Amino acid sequence: MDNTTYNNTIATDETTIIHIEYPHNSHDTHTESPFIQQDRKRSHKKEEDEHKKRLRTEYTKHTSFQHSIHTIPYLIEEYDHMPDHVKSSLLLDLIHKSTKNTVQWMVSIMNTTLKRDFITSLPRELVLHILSYLDVYTLCHACYVNKQWKEIVDNEDKVWYRLLMKDGYDTGMYRDCTYKESYRKQYILKMNWKKGRFRRTEFDGHSDSIVTCLQFDDDKIISGATDTIINIYHTNDPTRPVDRLEGHAGGVWAMQYVDNTLVSGSTDRSVRVWNIQRRKCTHLFKGHLSTVRCLLIVTPILVNGVMEPSEPLIVTGSRDSTIRVWKLPDVENEAYLEKTFVGEDVNPWFKFSLVGHTNSVRSVAAHGNLLVSGSYDNSVIVWNLETGRMVHRMERHSSNVYSVVIDPIRRQCMSGSMDSVVYIWDLNTGACLHKLEGHDILVGLLGLSTQYLVSAAADKTIRVWDPSTGVCEYVLTGHMGAITCFKHDNDKIVSGSEGGLKLWDINTGKLIVDLIHDVKGVWWVTFDKRRCIVAVLKNDERTSFQMLDFGVHGLIEDGV
């Protein structure tokens, strides 16, 4: 038999033809017997039948798969109409027949599907309530969730107003921007203080005299000194030519201004009232018999539903041992701008004199109708400014009282003395509540914020106290000499002494940075939220000023 090639085809459908091709038989049929040839034919036939059977099976599977593919859209459509228990059963069967990788992929899809943006789904009032529990860090991270969350967080002023209040920021500091932007700017400003980042501006003033008082705001810097002059500088550029208020015949030892009214006291025993904008002295009050050592402008505030005092007052303490109380004049009155009123024997602005001390009145503090005074007669007296009467006289100090502060929140006052002790007194009863010991010598300076009482002494140290308990929390050491000046708030202390000026973290008691060094002394320091103004004695014995501006780094591009 000749070599034969078996070809066969099976028509599967209208579009598919499966071709079958069998290999050539390589055996030489001419040499084989008829029986062998017959067996071979039967064997080939059997192989051919088995091959056709496999092809038909594959074809059946192929057509079945194609049919399943074609029916999937109908199955999906019918799925929507199936009962829930049928859906669950069908899905469970599919999961059981799926591979592990397929199940993991299904889980990831289901997790994403089950997630729901509850913030955008809730009413605005509930959203505000939820956000009110978040701190500023969490709120900022929430902005990155999606655009909707960012829009909500950015535009909910009530949330940021609450944070400003909670974190002790000023809600009115940046009125030209949103509360969120105001929070951002004040936070950067706070960090600049914490990290000691500032820009320094130096300017001259008062030559070789001692700066005894210093006050400033965003428009002006006003200083008084022993040279009898009051200088007025421009805050935005203190290097510009200075304006001078002249009139005192002796050194200016006390000074304060409110709005456009400035009051000063001098070694010439007089009190002068000035119109700041017009650079004009409108009133001259006489009556003290010695140096006016301290003074206050007391403006009415609401106390228990009543304005106290009933009108603005001037309180002056003198080395003549008396305290005099005056009504605050209106410096806008044109009559006194043309000619200064001189009050000697008859003065319609004089109210009364508080007599009770027997030595120099060194310090005064007031709140509403309450006035507290400290004297070199070792006593502390509480007065009623409305009646002019003594309320309490406290005598525990064994030496001169140099400083007093009043704490209206806790209804108490504090006094520091040359005897190195600080006392805390009850304003209601006059009783001594706490005796604060720790300093070695004269406590000449006291300061009070809502959280901290701070004392500074000639022993080169500063102590931070809890005003409620009288417990000393920190002792700050590092100054080279007696502390000559300081100011503090609930975040920081800025203190000066021989050698320079230091910035401390009041919450930890740790030094942040030396703000000024290599000077002979520091006369005075004061600061607001952005700037720190310092009067220093340079090594060449000349007095000058430095302005440290902490509102530059990270904020200068905003024009802050």
Side-chain angles (χ1 to χ4, degrees), residues 86-128:
V86 176
K87 291 180 180 178
S88 300
S89 178
L90 177 60
L91 289 175
L92 187 60
D93 288 340
L94 289 174
I95 291 173
H96 285 159
K97 294 179 180 296
S98 300
T99 64
K100 182 179 179 181
N101 289 339
T102 303
V103 173
Q104 289 176 339
W105 175 81
M106 291 171 63
V107 169
S108 67
I109 295 298
M110 286 188 289
N111 285 338
T112 304
T113 305
L114 291 174
K115 289 180 181 178
R116 185 177 181 183
D117 188 353
F118 68 96
I119 287 292
T120 56
S121 303
L122 292 174
R124 182 173 179 271
E125 292 75 12
L126 287 178
V127 172
L128 289 176

Side-chain angles (χ1 to χ4, degrees), residues 353-384:
S353 182
L354 306 181
V355 179
H357 286 297
T358 58
N359 207 328
S360 174
V361 179
R362 182 65 172 79
S363 178
V364 289
H367 178 82
N369 280 333
L370 285 178
L371 175 72
V372 178
S373 60
S375 168
Y376 284 176
D377 65 4
N378 309 347
S379 71
V380 177
I381 298 179
V382 179
W383 312 84
N384 186 307

Side-chain angles (χ1 to χ4, degrees), residues 194 464 473-477 491-493 502-513:
K194 278 187 170 293
V464 181
E473 298 188 355
Y474 305 107
V475 180
L476 313 184
T477 60
D491 295 315
K492 56 189 174 293
I493 302 173
K502 296 180 182 294
L503 173 62
W504 313 81
D505 187 331
I506 198 171
N507 296 300
T508 63
K510 295 182 178 180
L511 178 68
I512 296 175
V513 67

